Amino acid sequence: MGILYNQVADQLQGLIHEGVYRDGERLPGVRQLSRQFGVSISTILQAHQTLEARGFLQARERSGYFVRLPTVDAPEPVMRRHRSRPVPVSAREMALDLCADEQKRMVPLATAIPHPDYLPLRQIQHSTLWAARRGLETLDYAFPGKESFRRQIAQRMATLGVPVTPDDVLATNGAQEAIILALRAVTQPGDIVAVESPSFPGILQALEVVGLKVIEIPTHPSEGLSLEGLQLALEQWPLKACVVVTNHSNPMGAQMSDERKKQLVSMLAAAAVPLIEDDIYGDLHHTGDRPKPAKAFDRADNVIYCSSFSKTISPGLRLGWMVPGRHMASARQHKYFVNLATSSIPQMAVAHFLEQGGYDRYLRSARQHYREATERMRTAVARAFPEGTAVSRPQGGFVLWVQLPDGVSGTEVYHRARAEDINVAPGLMFSTADKYDNCLRLNSANPWSERIEHAVARLGVLAHDVQSEAR
């Protein structure tokens, strides 16, 4: 019997290698496989356990066995130490092109937007219909935000170690607006602001809108912002603010430890430099407990907290919030001057969704989806790309930072991929200078499919081609 189940396991493993059963797919039921191989159900179960031990299957409670190809490891990208000077920000038009391109049915590996299959569409539709029936409640200017929404946010902030009241919360049109309002509250045009490097293009765009100069601080792919690099910048330049994605940063996926967050908060408070914290990915940790924001360690009211539901509930709702602390009056004033208020119905719908407990139930499944999706994408990149390629290991979120071997232009790979209707984000977008030409960012928040698998394989071929031509 031992020989027989090993033979069945070997045959199933061969079918997996041949692509009959693809990564992420569910195997047929044990009864069907029992008939297919002409063996008992107990033999099939032993074969499944054997393949699980080999790393080719994953058992999911009440769902069956799913193909999971063994991980092909790749090193993490290295932190690039570089001297940086403050420079005016000129955000690249490339970012706008990427958003437009993904509306054209290109393979969506560029923008950090979750696939609709990973969002709680049915639940939020139900809550939106509920909100739309509230009548006159939906028709007023919701400034500084609907009380029900701000109350739910205050309750969630309390669970993160940030005790606030609804009056401390300002509703915004996504985290992007929250960051812009925070910058306007603490800076003047021409001021210098420190950011991570590589940095999320939306933050660079926000700095450009406000007319600021940026100094880029090296960032470790797992530990986050270099505190040593920040201290050097504080000593050399008159910084007016520092913008950091403390949990699962975009594009690297870094998560700062609590100890490093404490040091960051303390360092900036001592220098009287406000910290603008973007915690948009904080709820999407892959394992363990939800990481605390830096705001939880703020004893000097020096941290402006910004977040949104664009990466969890729906990017189209454009619903975020901020906790400006002592800068509330200025933030409210800028919000009122720019667009007066955030739409009422999305606030009421999300407040209802949160109050009913639907958000936390959704997050439990979303975290598993994103963990599996990033692991699968990481493995596919490691298999397909040239030797020497490094790939980030995010502990949350759903983006991967891919560092190609020296001399391989990620920008050239981007242009060739675009010609084949594959959309990726080139590394040049994530800096104000040409520091990351050999890098790409990939969005993993898509259900694994033959189309996605083929696109990653093609990217690997294109990277090999660019490498060969560069020699």
Side-chain angles (χ1 to χ4, degrees):
M1 179 65 70
I3 295 175
L4 184 55
Y5 75 71
N6 274 322
Q7 288 176 347
V8 173
D10 290 342
Q11 290 180 59
L12 281 170
Q13 185 173 324
L15 292 172
I16 291 171
H17 279 308
E18 292 168 8
V20 175
Y21 302 124
R22 295 182 13 252
D23 194 22
E25 287 187 343
R26 182 181 181 277
L27 281 187
V30 292
R31 295 183 185 279
Q32 181 178 335
L33 289 175
S34 172
R35 294 191 296 269
Q36 179 179 329
F37 286 95
V39 297
S40 68
I41 289 177
S42 63
T43 299
I44 293 296
L45 290 173
Q46 286 178 295
H48 282 358
Q49 293 167 1
T50 300
L51 286 174
E52 189 175 14
R54 294 178 187 175
F56 283 89
L57 289 184
Q58 178 186 39
R60 298 183 190 172
E61 189 176 355
R62 299 181 181 178
S63 298
Y65 283 87
F66 290 76
V67 175
R68 183 180 182 184
L69 293 177
T71 300
V72 177
D73 201 18
E76 274 192 305
V78 297
M79 180 172 71
R80 299 188 179 182
R81 300 185 182 276
H82 49 76
R83 284 189 170 274
S84 183
R85 298 179 60 85
V87 295
V89 183
S90 179
R92 300 175 185 273
E93 291 294 325
M94 207 176 278
L96 301 179
D97 292 340
L98 292 182
C99 290
D101 285 343
E102 291 201 354
Q103 299 297 321
K104 300 174 184 175
R105 304 299 180 185
M106 298 180 77
V107 182
L109 302 181
T111 56
I113 297 175
H115 188 279
D117 286 0
Y118 288 160
L119 299 174
L121 295 182
R122 182 180 57 79
Q123 300 97 311
I124 200 62
Q125 285 172 349
H126 171 75
S127 290
T128 301
L129 289 173
W130 174 89
R133 291 194 292 266
R134 296 305 97 187
L136 294 178
E137 264 190 274
T138 68
L139 301 181
D140 63 340
Y141 286 127
F143 180 81
K146 293 302 263 187
E147 199 277 337
S148 59
F149 174 72
R150 291 184 292 120
R151 184 175 64 252
Q152 287 297 319
I153 295 301
Q155 291 176 10
R156 296 196 71 82
M157 295 297 295
T159 67
L160 302 179
V162 184
V164 296
T165 70
D167 289 340
D168 297 320
V169 179
L170 178 62
T172 63
N173 296 321
Q176 184 83 351
E177 184 184 51
I179 293 169
I180 291 173
L181 293 176
L183 288 169
R184 284 186 165 145
V186 300
T187 67
Q188 296 294 325
D191 283 346
I192 303 171
V193 174
V195 301
E196 297 161 284
S197 183
S199 183
F200 170 52
I203 290 175
L204 299 178
Q205 291 161 2
L207 293 168
E208 182 180 25
V209 165
V210 185
L212 301 169
K213 294 180 180 178
V214 64
I215 185 164
E216 300 186 16
I217 309 298
T219 301
H220 190 277
S222 58
E223 296 177 359
L225 184 82
S226 167
L227 298 180
E228 299 76 13
L230 178 60
Q231 183 61 50
L232 187 61
L234 287 168
E235 293 169 359
Q236 291 184 329
W237 306 104
L239 303 186
K240 297 302 182 183
C242 178
V243 185
V244 183
V245 183
T246 53
N247 293 317
H248 322 311
S249 66
N250 180 357
M252 279 192 164
Q255 178 186 318
M256 298 186 76
S257 66
D258 284 353
E259 184 58 36
R260 290 178 65 80
K261 288 171 185 168
K262 290 177 185 177
Q263 293 177 34
L264 173 66
V265 170
S266 176
M267 180 187 303
L268 291 173
V273 174
L275 171 60
I276 299 173
E277 180 179 25
D278 180 358
D279 194 30
I280 194 170
Y281 291 98
D283 282 344
L284 295 180
H285 53 99
H286 292 169
T287 58
D289 295 330
R290 204 273 194 202
K292 288 185 177 182
K295 181 68 176 173
F297 307 107
D298 181 22
R299 302 294 177 263
D301 196 11
N302 193 54
V303 179
I304 301 177
Y305 181 91
C306 305
S307 192
S308 91
F309 292 108
S310 294
K311 309 301 181 186
T312 51
I313 296 179
S314 169
L317 287 177
R318 304 307 306 137
L319 182 58
W321 72 96
M322 64 189 300
V323 180
R326 58 192 168 94
H327 301 288
M328 173 62 92
S330 179
R332 280 167 57 112
Q333 185 179 58
H334 285 294
K335 169 69 177 176
Y336 188 84
F337 288 164
V338 171
N339 54 37
L340 190 61
T342 293
S343 180
S344 296
I345 290 180
Q347 292 187 65
M348 295 170 63
V350 169
H352 179 263
F353 184 40
L354 295 175
E355 188 176 4
Q356 299 298 308
Y359 183 60
D360 289 308
R361 287 193 296 272
Y362 153 73
L363 283 178
R364 285 192 285 272
S365 63
R367 289 167 186 148
Q368 178 178 330
H369 287 318
Y370 290 137
R371 176 175 58 80
E372 294 174 354
T374 51
E375 287 179 0
R376 189 178 297 121
M377 179 71 78
R378 192 174 191 279
T379 297
V381 169
R383 290 179 183 277
F385 279 56
E387 184 177 354
T389 297
V391 189
S392 60
R393 293 189 181 97
Q395 300 175 52
F398 47 76
V399 296
L400 289 177
W401 184 246
V402 179
Q403 188 178 77
L404 300 169
D406 288 342
V408 181
S409 170
T411 308
E412 182 61 27
V413 174
Y414 154 75
H415 285 301
R416 297 188 186 192
R418 202 173 174 202
E420 298 187 18
D421 288 336
I422 302 170
N423 210 13
V424 298
L428 290 180
M429 289 176 50
F430 300 87
S431 170
T432 55
D434 297 337
K435 295 176 183 174
Y436 303 107
D437 180 54
N438 70 322
C439 296
L440 300 168
R441 188 196 66 185
L442 300 180
N443 172 27
S444 301
N446 293 290
W448 198 251
S449 65
E450 186 175 352
R451 185 175 183 235
I452 298 291
E453 188 173 14
H454 174 73
V456 176
R458 281 299 302 160
L459 288 173
V461 170
L462 295 174
H464 278 285
D465 290 345
V466 172
Q467 183 181 48
S468 297
E469 293 168 15
R471 287 173 175 167

